[in-house]
C-alpha cells in the first residue's frame, strides 16, 4: 500500500503492518475524543514514526496514487479531526 505523509512524501508499506498501525490509530482516536492534546501529539508522532520505520520511501520524483493519507507531524487536533473517517485515520 502507498501511504502519503502530508508535507513529507510517500512510502510503500506492506499490508501486514496495518495491525500494528491500527493499534496506534485506535489510541489516537480515543485521545482525540477525550481532548487529550498532549497524548494526541505523542501518539501522532509515534504513528508517523512507525510508518517511516516500516515503510520504504518512494523517490521524490515518483507520484503514485496514495491509498492512505496521514497528517503532517505538526497537524493540530482540529486538523486531524477534519481528516478522520469512521474508522480513524487508518481503515480497519
Amino acid at each position: 500500500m502507498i501511504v502519503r505523509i502530508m508535507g513529507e512524501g510517500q512510502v510503500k508499506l506492506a499490508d501486514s503492518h496495518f495491525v500494528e498501525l491500527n493499534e496506534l490509530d485506535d489510541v489516537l482516536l480515543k485521545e482525540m475524543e477525550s481532548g487529550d492534546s498532549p497524548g494526541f501529539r505523542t501518539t501522532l508522532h509515534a504513528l508517523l514514526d512507525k510508518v517511516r520505520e516500516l515503510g520504504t520511501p518512494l523517490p521524490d520524483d515518483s507520484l503514485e496514487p496514495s491509498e492512505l493519507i496521514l497528517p503532517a507531524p505538526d497537524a493540530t487536533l482540529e486538523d486531524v479531526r477534519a481528516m478522520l473517517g469512521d474508522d480513524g485515520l487508518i481503515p480497519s
Side-chain angles (χ1 to χ4, degrees), residues 1-3 11-19 21 54-56:
M1 175 178 278
I2 304 298
V3 178
V11 297
K12 185 170 187 163
L13 199 59
D15 290 345
S16 61
H17 296 301
F18 280 89
V19 171
L21 295 176
L54 299 173
T56 303

Side-chain angles (χ1 to χ4, degrees), residues 30-52:
K30 288 177 187 167
E31 291 165 343
M32 290 183 63
E33 289 171 349
S34 70
D36 180 0
S37 192
F40 158 80
R41 176 78 32 223
T42 299
T43 304
L44 175 61
H45 282 261
L47 176 65
L48 297 177
D49 288 344
K50 189 57 74 173
V51 168
R52 291 182 200 106

Side-chain angles (χ1 to χ4, degrees), residues 11-90:
V11 297
K12 185 170 187 163
L13 199 59
D15 290 345
S16 61
H17 296 301
F18 280 89
V19 171
E20 185 175 359
L21 295 176
N22 269 317
E23 291 173 6
L24 287 167
D25 189 44
D26 290 345
V27 172
L28 188 70
L29 189 58
K30 288 177 187 167
E31 291 165 343
M32 290 183 63
E33 289 171 349
S34 70
D36 180 0
S37 192
F40 158 80
R41 176 78 32 223
T42 299
T43 304
L44 175 61
H45 282 261
L47 176 65
L48 297 177
D49 288 344
K50 189 57 74 173
V51 168
R52 291 182 200 106
E53 173 190 329
L54 299 173
T56 303
L58 295 179
D60 289 338
D61 61 351
S62 173
L63 186 58
E64 302 291 325
S66 299
E67 297 167 83
L68 179 62
I69 299 174
L70 296 177
D74 61 350
T76 66
L77 206 137
E78 291 76 26
D79 293 336
V80 176
R81 271 196 185 115
M83 295 178 70
L84 282 176
D86 292 337
D87 291 331
L89 290 171
I90 301 172

